[in-house]
Amino acid sequence: MKRILIHVIVIAVFSLIITLPVSAATQPPATGSVLPEIKLTVPANNDYKNYLGLSRGDFFKIPQIKANVVIIEIMNMYCPHCQASAHKVNELYRIIENNPALKNKIKLIGIAAGNSTYEAEVFRKRYDVPFPLFEDGDFSIHKVVGEVRTPYFIGIRIDDGVPKVFYSKLGGFEKADQFLELLLKLSGLK
């Protein structure tokens, strides 16, 4: 009887281990490292889908975005710093989109850590967010990027399908044009 109980416990523990989701990172993505895999739902909104260069499918990964550089903002709708800096992030998006030399090279997305689709949509509407904002209600993406505080910005350079981190930092920025200059320099686009 004791032997059977031990086998059952071993099988139960093994089953739990192999069914666990991707393990959580203990640190944010380091500069120079490869971004951990992040799987997102393809937006239903065709404008967002076109912006990201996605054509079909239910899910996509960051390297599938048609751009050389992707800027990821990890935010939360209840974060007062995220609310206060929303207009600056929107300005960053507009500067990029209004520059023909940058428009197709840099894309901006937001990850709403701990927020449902409804909450992410409320934030998007309240702050007139023009770029795709993805819900992360179960914190699964937040865990992959080291459970960072918000707002947190990650700059990714995609070369041959490999997403390399060139910027990873907590906090917002003062001026969108200066932040963009920094990102251009660090990414090697300038």
Side-chain angles (χ1 to χ4, degrees):
M1 183 69 175
K2 187 176 178 182
R3 192 176 253 173
I4 293 173
L5 181 61
I6 290 171
H7 285 295
V8 169
I9 291 171
V10 169
I11 291 170
V13 170
F14 182 73
S15 297
L16 181 63
I17 290 170
I18 63 171
T19 58
L20 285 174
V22 175
S23 62
T26 56
Q27 297 290 322
T31 302
S33 69
V34 174
L35 181 72
E37 185 176 288
I38 295 175
K39 187 176 176 184
L40 299 167
T41 302
V42 171
N45 179 310
N46 282 331
D47 291 338
Y48 293 154
K49 201 183 300 184
N50 293 334
Y51 171 72
L52 298 174
L54 303 171
S55 56
R56 57 185 160 179
D58 296 329
F59 300 97
F60 72 100
K61 297 173 187 168
I62 300 295
Q64 292 177 280
I65 296 173
K66 300 284 186 238
N68 302 94
V69 167
V70 177
I71 301 165
I72 304 170
E73 179 191 18
I74 308 293
M75 49 72 63
N76 178 282
M77 78 168 285
Y78 301 106
C79 160
H81 302 290
C82 301
Q83 296 167 2
S85 65
H87 71 282
K88 294 177 186 175
V89 182
N90 291 347
E91 183 183 355
L92 175 65
Y93 168 85
R94 289 187 183 95
I95 292 172
I96 294 167
E97 286 300 296
N98 290 329
N99 184 329
L102 300 178
K103 182 177 179 174
N104 294 320
K105 292 181 179 174
I106 304 174
K107 300 298 176 182
L108 180 61
I109 65 170
I111 305 291
N115 295 147
S116 66
T117 301
Y118 174 78
E119 291 170 316
E121 187 64 14
V122 167
F123 187 89
R124 190 189 65 75
K125 286 182 179 173
R126 181 173 297 157
Y127 297 100
D128 198 24
V129 177
F131 53 87
L133 192 57
F134 298 91
E135 64 87 18
D136 182 30
D138 64 359
F139 288 103
S140 60
I141 298 169
H142 187 246
K143 289 175 184 169
V144 167
V145 296
E147 300 181 288
V148 295
R149 292 175 25 210
T150 57
Y152 196 96
F153 288 89
I154 303 170
I156 307 299
R157 171 93 190 216
I158 301 171
D159 287 320
D160 297 325
V162 179
K164 285 198 176 176
V165 177
F166 67 84
Y167 184 89
S168 179
K169 199 168 186 177
L170 174 66
F173 49 85
E174 286 301 313
K175 295 185 177 183
D177 57 343
Q178 292 176 354
F179 186 59
L180 179 59
E181 282 299 314
L182 174 66
L183 295 176
L184 288 171
K185 182 178 176 186
L186 294 175
S187 69
L189 284 183
K190 189 171 185 178

